[in-house]
Amino acid sequence: MSITAFTTIETGRLRLRHFMDADLAPFMAYRNDPEVARYQSWEGISESEARTFVQEQMKAQPGAPGQWFQIAVELKETGVLVGDCALKIEEHDERQAEIGYTLARAYQGQGIASEAVRCVLEYAFVTLGLHRVIAITDCENAASIALLERLGLRREGHFHQNVWFKGKWGDEYLYAMVQEEWLILRRDSSG
Ligand SMILES: CC(C)(COP(=O)(O)OP(=O)(O)OC[C@H]1O[C@@H](n2cnc3c(N)ncnc32)[C@H](O)[C@@H]1OP(=O)(O)O)[C@@H](O)C(=O)NCCC(=O)NCCS
């Protein structure tokens, strides 16, 4: 599948863009916050790992099957990185993708993640024309579950102790939406 290059997208409060050098410090700060890492596969990040991540993502584009493309989420008002969203085109079918999202703690609880992920869904379904998008979340991650349900994704699966996670077996939910459902939602919400 040939995918057009990702360019900056603006929403009411946010700018979704490629990572840049200036993101290093805020990126490291939230990646090393234990509360932010709690339900993520990572624990933290060293400066050299963060530099490599930023350098790689500055040049990355979506569309490489099986590889995460990270989108920096900047608050327009301050120009500061507040989190990131991620999109991975599935290896077995390029019309399907998985999404992820992370927001620095100071910016949670304000609808910023909802605004960013809504934008990524619009990008996935409308710009890229994908058929189906999934998200996988720890069953204990209440904020993530609330976010996915707020955006209209459907819980399709509950995996029981399917992942060895931070010293114990964890459960995960699979959420999904197909393009047709997204188009109905955006039509209904546009009035
Ligand atoms: C998952 C995560 C991104 C959710 O962030 P969030 O800020 O709770 O999500 P939202 O942007 O949807 O904000 C919702 C909250 O903002 C409030 N809010 C305020 N204005 C709002 C608006 N305009 N629209 C929606 N919600 C709004 C909601 O009432 C809700 O408040 P509540 O948490 O008290 O119920 C965040 O918890 C996070 O980064 N966690 C760590 C990383 C992680 O676990 N990622 C998921 C891996 S699967």
Side-chain angles (χ1 to χ4, degrees):
M1 180 169 65
S2 91
I3 278 187
T4 358
F6 173 83
T7 51
T8 299
I9 312 173
E10 296 205 357
T11 65
R13 291 177 286 180
L14 308 173
R15 188 170 287 120
L16 274 69
R17 55 161 174 77
H18 271 101
F19 268 83
M20 51 173 71
D21 286 327
D23 295 332
L24 186 68
F27 176 67
M28 280 187 67
Y30 66 74
R31 275 274 176 142
N32 285 310
D33 177 342
E35 269 307 304
V36 171
R38 188 162 169 202
Y39 298 112
Q40 300 276 24
S41 53
W42 32 265
E43 287 286 359
I45 196 162
S46 68
E47 185 169 343
S48 71
E49 287 167 341
R51 271 188 203 287
T52 304
F53 175 99
V54 169
Q55 289 303 316
E56 284 176 4
Q57 290 301 324
M58 278 165 72
K59 304 181 293 252
Q61 285 294 341
Q67 281 182 33
W68 283 104
F69 171 63
Q70 304 281 152
I71 302 170
V73 178
E74 173 192 307
L75 199 60
K76 284 200 286 195
E77 198 184 348
T78 59
V80 168
L81 178 82
V82 296
D84 55 78
C85 291
L87 182 82
K88 181 181 71 177
I89 301 291
E90 297 292 3
E91 217 153 6
H92 66 278
D93 187 340
E94 297 177 20
R95 294 160 301 178
Q96 302 195 44
E98 180 178 348
I99 54 166
Y101 36 82
T102 301
L103 201 61
R105 215 186 317 173
Y107 299 93
Q108 294 177 10
Q110 303 167 45
I112 290 176
S114 288
E115 194 169 319
V117 177
R118 193 174 286 119
C119 178
V120 171
L121 290 172
E122 175 75 8
Y123 173 69
F125 286 126
V126 178
T127 309
L128 301 184
L130 298 183
H131 169 64
R132 178 176 154 95
V133 171
I134 66 160
I136 295 170
T137 186
D138 191 298
C139 295
E140 293 178 5
N141 193 347
S144 174
I145 293 165
L147 165 66
L148 294 168
E149 294 190 351
R150 187 177 297 117
L151 294 179
L153 281 88
R154 175 183 45 256
R155 186 187 298 174
E156 293 188 347
H158 179 172
F159 301 108
H160 184 61
Q161 296 192 6
N162 67 320
V163 59
W164 180 253
F165 185 69
K166 303 194 176 175
K168 63 181 174 97
W169 288 107
D171 284 17
E172 288 180 325
Y173 289 137
L174 167 72
Y175 279 85
M177 182 184 277
V178 293
Q179 186 192 46
E180 192 182 351
E181 294 168 321
W182 179 253
L183 297 179
I184 290 170
L185 272 179
R186 77 204 272 273
R187 185 197 63 200
D188 292 351
S189 65
S190 70

